Amino acid sequence: MAESKNFSNGSIMAFIFFFAAFLASGSSTAQVPFLMWSTKSLPSLTSPPAGHITSMEELAAYLTPVFGSGSNTVLLFLQDKLSKDDFTLFGGVFGNKEESAFRNLEAALQSSSSSVSFPALEWTGESAIPTLLQQKLGASPLLVDPDTLSHLSLNTSTSNLLIINLPYCSDSLKSCKEVLSNNDEIIGKVLSSLKAKDVSYTAAYTGLQPSQAILKSSLLNQQVGRTLLQAPAADVKAPIIFSNTTGFPCIMLWAQNLSISPPGSTDFIDLAQENATVIGSMCNSTNSELVLTYVNYILRFAMSQRFYPVSARNWFTLDSVQVQVHSSGQTASFVGSHGIYAPAEYSFHCQSVSSVRDTLLVPANQNATQWKLNFVDFQIQGFSLANGTNFSYASDCASFFTAGIWMGLVTSLLMLLIFVYGLHMIMQLNTMDRFDDPKGPTISVPQSD
Amino acid sequence: MLLEWMMNGHAILYTGVTLAFWSTILIVGICYTIFDLGFRFDVAWFLTETSPFMWANLGIGLAISLSVVGAAWGIYITGSSIIGGGVKAPRIKTKNLVSIIFCEAVAIYGIIMAIVISNMAENFTGTTPETIGARNYQAGYSMFGAGLTVGFSNLFCGICVGIVGSGAALADAQNASLFVKILIVEIFGSAIGLFGVIVAILQTSKVKMGD
């Protein structure tokens, strides 16, 4: 207890500062990878811990024994931009070796006598590495074109520093792989021509600047994070909303299909595809009526809500659905109060509200028996809409257990109960062995009465 | 001692099943309450949506099966006593078959009621509660109730007659004059089965299924 009181504010601040600085140092220092391979043996390098950024001084200290004695031919492949992410993105590291853009480079690294790599070399300027190599070798750099190298005659008695500039890709991501593959081919050609000359060389591959491979690719909408493979859902159309006089939504209706079939015709007309006006609708605290006026038809949904004492809550019912033909004025009326109900705070949803199948809408007048209604994926709410335009919780017409499931459950559970009871009775039958006496005389059964 | 009783495999099984059943009910009830879905628990929906035929046939099935269970139990008890007593006193065999016949009568009541009730089941057209009509619901529930009535009455009547008959057989084996007195007790016992039959007939007297 006493120790914790010694944790002053100052030490906590210092800790936070160091932590932030540690984090910052990792992210803000520019770095380029530096790969080196040679026909002679290079001194071995203990692999640096992950995230360690090699400073130029460390590289200089490493290169001193390499180029200290004799004459060396150094071939520097300077790509405009290079970073570790290029290898990750284009190096075929995810098991797709055949798509790698660095095949010749990898082959050269593996077939060389020794190779060494600095995954993160501190980048202090474009000319840092050529200058350092120039310093170590004591030779001035010679810019070489890959094609002219075969014609170049190298003086192996002095140190040579040959620099080959390789391009980096422009903004389009697609050609990046091609550019890097081309660079790789150039490297391969150059190395093979050097091998043909039978010259002992040291080659290095690095970049003039760090590239922004990952940033570039994310700018091109290539999703790096996890994405769903499912096709994106199509946009959902808005529900039909009727607002009351104060401007708040009062009745909401959404349906995928509002299909009606007038008498005499067999196919359905989907009214949900047409535009409707909601003029003539009304809503107050106990009754709501939504009147949808289409070109040829008028649909009326009449709902009411009241308090039911047995369940002690308010329920609303869709009392009737009326279809009226504009031209002739004839009306078909369907009653829906038996099946279409929900607590007044919630909306009602049903996959199929129809008068033909699983009839939730029952014809109420003579006309209606010849009409057919079929509303698909139907959701309606006439009361208790808050200010937003979202439906409340949807009380679905489909319950968890259907009536058939309940009937099956009741019967099977009853039979199971009977079976278990019978099994229990049989299992507790015992043979009477109270009077068994293995050593006593056996009983004698008289033969006569 | 409780531990010894618990070691019994049956007790563990029944305890486990009871625990599972009640915990299921408790957890489902709690979930319904928490999510304000209590309105989904609708007994009226269950009673009106399940078909009257289910109730009718459950009644018929229970009528015959429970009666037969009662008769079988009674015969098992009496029969084993008669056979056992008859070893030492073979004269009791013939007279004590009367007890067996009293037990069997209970099964006959059961099958007669099952046939009577099943004759009342008729077809009706109608799929929603309004179109099915109150009379069909009443018929379904009455048949279920009648089946339960006759079934359970005969069940306990059969057991009763069986135990009394067993006592009668053993007493008869000891002393032949005791049998007639005990027979009177048996007659009282079998009357209760008859009561069940009468009430079941009354229950189904107003049943009229169909359109």
Side-chain angles (χ1 to χ4, degrees):
Chain A
M1 277 303 190
E3 289 87 43
S4 64
K5 290 206 180 115
N6 289 338
F7 252 111
S8 60
N9 275 342
S11 61
I12 293 178
M13 286 307 296
F15 175 71
I16 293 173
F17 180 70
F18 275 125
F19 194 58
F22 180 69
L23 282 181
S25 67
S27 56
S28 59
T29 313
Q31 39 176 294
V32 278
F34 185 83
L35 305 173
M36 198 159 72
W37 63 100
S38 171
T39 49
K40 66 176 188 188
S41 69
L42 296 167
S44 67
L45 178 74
T46 55
S47 53
H52 173 77
I53 301 179
T54 321
S55 63
M56 288 304 276
E57 291 81 35
E58 285 176 34
L59 180 64
Y62 177 76
L63 287 176
T64 314
V66 177
F67 300 130
S69 57
S71 61
N72 304 286
T73 306
V74 172
L75 197 58
L76 181 62
F77 293 100
L78 260 186
Q79 194 167 291
D80 273 349
K81 293 185 191 170
L82 182 70
S83 77
K84 250 192 300 202
D85 304 324
D86 286 315
F87 293 115
T88 320
L89 273 178
F90 305 109
V93 296
F94 299 113
N96 49 346
K97 251 303 187 246
E98 53 279 356
E99 294 172 16
S100 166
F102 299 105
R103 278 209 253 166
N104 290 330
L105 180 65
E106 276 182 79
L109 281 169
Q110 279 184 335
S111 62
S112 66
S113 316
S114 62
S115 70
V116 101
S117 69
F118 295 90
L121 182 63
E122 181 188 34
W123 180 79
T124 47
E126 274 198 19
S127 52
I129 296 175
T131 319
L132 174 68
L133 284 172
Q134 188 181 351
Q135 236 175 22
K136 292 292 169 193
L137 284 172
S140 55
L142 183 64
L143 272 173
V144 174
D145 209 9
D147 303 316
T148 60
L149 185 61
S150 46
H151 307 302
L152 191 68
S153 58
L154 284 171
N155 187 1
T156 51
S157 55
T158 58
S159 294
N160 299 307
L161 175 59
L162 307 169
I163 296 183
I164 298 174
N165 281 325
L166 298 171
Y168 190 65
C169 42
S170 51
D171 269 332
S172 148
L173 185 63
K174 190 154 182 270
S175 66
C176 233
K177 208 163 158 159
E178 288 171 19
V179 169
L180 290 173
S181 303
N182 285 342
N183 290 353
D184 193 52
E185 277 178 35
I186 293 172
I187 293 176
K189 248 194 326 188
V190 166
L191 289 176
S192 57
S193 68
L194 259 191
K195 216 160 141 194
K197 285 195 208 282
D198 204 16
V199 171
S200 146
Y201 64 88
T202 305
Y205 180 56
T206 185
L208 270 179
Q209 300 172 37
S211 78
Q212 303 278 323
I214 291 288
L215 204 58
K216 214 194 267 285
S217 61
S218 64
L219 288 173
L220 294 162
N221 288 332
Q222 195 182 42
Q223 275 149 333
V224 182
R226 282 166 30 169
T227 54
L228 295 174
L229 294 174
Q230 188 185 19
D235 272 332
V236 183
K237 65 185 187 223
I240 301 171
I241 303 178
F242 169 69
S243 305
N244 61 10
T245 45
T246 57
F248 294 126
C250 170
I251 309 179
M252 279 172 63
L253 169 73
W254 194 93
Q256 192 183 330
N257 284 351
L258 286 169
S259 305
I260 62 173
S261 167
S265 90
T266 47
D267 45 329
F268 285 86
I269 308 163
D270 186 10
L271 291 177
Q273 313 289 353
E274 304 173 24
N275 290 330
T277 60
V278 291
I279 307 170
S281 311
M282 62 80 102
C283 69
N284 58 29
S285 58
T286 54
N287 282 29
S288 295
E289 185 175 9
L290 181 67
V291 179
L292 296 175
T293 314
Y294 295 93
V295 177
N296 294 326
Y297 302 99
I298 302 178
L299 271 181
R300 287 196 180 83
F301 298 90
M303 293 174 277
S304 66
Q305 70 121 337
R306 68 176 176 90
F307 179 76
Y308 287 75
V310 173
S311 58
R313 75 186 301 163
N314 292 326
W315 295 75
F316 86 88
T317 60
L318 179 66
D319 293 325
S320 73
V321 176
Q322 282 184 344
V323 188
Q324 184 177 5
V325 186
H326 243 299
S327 45
S328 59
Q330 52 163 261
T331 318
S333 158
F334 295 83
V335 167
S337 49
H338 165 66
I340 305 179
Y341 60 88
E345 302 89 41
Y346 303 139
S347 63
F348 172 81
H349 171 269
C350 198
Q351 183 64 23
S352 158
V353 173
S354 78
S355 67
V356 290
R357 217 185 33 202
D358 306 329
T359 48
L360 282 174
L361 296 172
V362 179
N365 64 7
Q366 185 51 39
N367 246 344
T369 47
Q370 293 159 332
W371 284 76
K372 290 194 273 285
L373 296 186
N374 186 22
F375 304 150
V376 174
D377 204 356
F378 176 85
Q379 185 162 8
I380 194 168
Q381 181 165 7
F383 305 93
S384 317
L385 273 167
N387 291 349
T389 54
N390 290 334
F391 281 108
S392 308
Y393 168 80
S395 163
D396 205 295
C397 66
S399 48
F400 187 70
F401 282 156
T402 64
I405 295 177
W406 278 119
M407 296 203 283
L409 274 178
V410 163
T411 319
S412 0
L413 285 178
L414 177 69
M415 290 199 278
L416 196 68
L417 179 73
I418 293 171
F419 171 72
V420 164
Y421 187 62
L423 197 67
H424 167 78
M425 284 174 63
I426 291 180
M427 286 196 305
Q428 46 113 3
L429 281 178
N430 291 317
T431 318
M432 279 282 271
D433 58 0
R434 182 193 280 270
F435 300 111
D436 273 353
D437 185 13
K439 296 200 189 94
T442 56
I443 62 167
S444 66
V445 179
Q447 290 297 323
S448 60
D449 244 335
Chain B
M1 204 174 114
L2 184 66
L3 210 59
E4 282 166 8
W5 176 77
M6 277 304 289
M7 284 301 121
N8 181 6
H10 297 173
I12 295 175
L13 174 68
Y14 294 143
T15 319
V17 168
T18 312
L19 203 65
F21 175 71
W22 286 114
S23 57
T24 311
I25 297 225
L26 188 71
I27 288 171
V28 167
I30 288 177
C31 282
Y32 268 86
T33 311
I34 292 175
F35 296 117
D36 190 29
L37 292 175
F39 68 90
R40 284 283 190 196
F41 182 79
D42 201 346
V43 178
W45 177 89
F46 172 68
L47 290 176
T48 51
E49 292 289 326
T50 53
S51 166
F53 288 127
M54 175 189 90
W55 300 108
N57 285 296
L58 274 181
I60 296 166
L62 286 174
I64 180 64
S65 53
L66 290 174
S67 311
V68 164
V69 167
W73 205 332
I75 293 175
Y76 147 62
I77 297 174
T78 309
S80 37
S81 296
I82 295 176
I83 291 171
V87 169
K88 284 289 193 167
R91 59 180 163 76
I92 68 168
K93 294 196 306 284
T94 330
K95 240 191 320 182
N96 281 278
L97 286 178
V98 158
S99 306
I100 305 278
I101 291 172
F102 272 123
C103 289
E104 185 68 23
V106 154
I108 293 176
Y109 297 157
I111 192 168
I112 289 178
M113 279 314 295
I115 295 177
V116 165
I117 298 175
S118 69
N119 278 337
M120 299 174 188
E122 299 282 337
N123 232 338
F124 54 80
T125 57
T127 44
T128 65
E130 282 87 10
T131 47
I132 291 177
R135 221 186 35 206
N136 285 321
Y137 282 114
Q138 186 250 355
Y141 297 137
S142 295
M143 295 204 265
F144 179 68
L148 271 189
T149 307
V150 73
F152 278 110
S153 308
N154 287 340
L155 171 69
F156 296 117
C157 171
I159 298 173
C160 162
V161 171
I163 298 178
V164 173
S166 147
L170 296 175
D172 188 20
Q174 277 287 350
N175 181 350
S177 64
L178 288 174
F179 180 71
V180 180
K181 302 272 166 40
I182 296 178
L183 207 57
I184 299 175
V185 178
E186 253 186 78
I187 293 170
F188 277 110
S190 76
I192 52 180
L194 214 51
F195 297 161
V197 172
I198 293 170
V199 171
I201 300 240
L202 285 176
Q203 278 179 314
T204 54
S205 62
K206 295 198 181 57
V207 161
K208 185 121 181 13
M209 226 186 200
D211 293 326

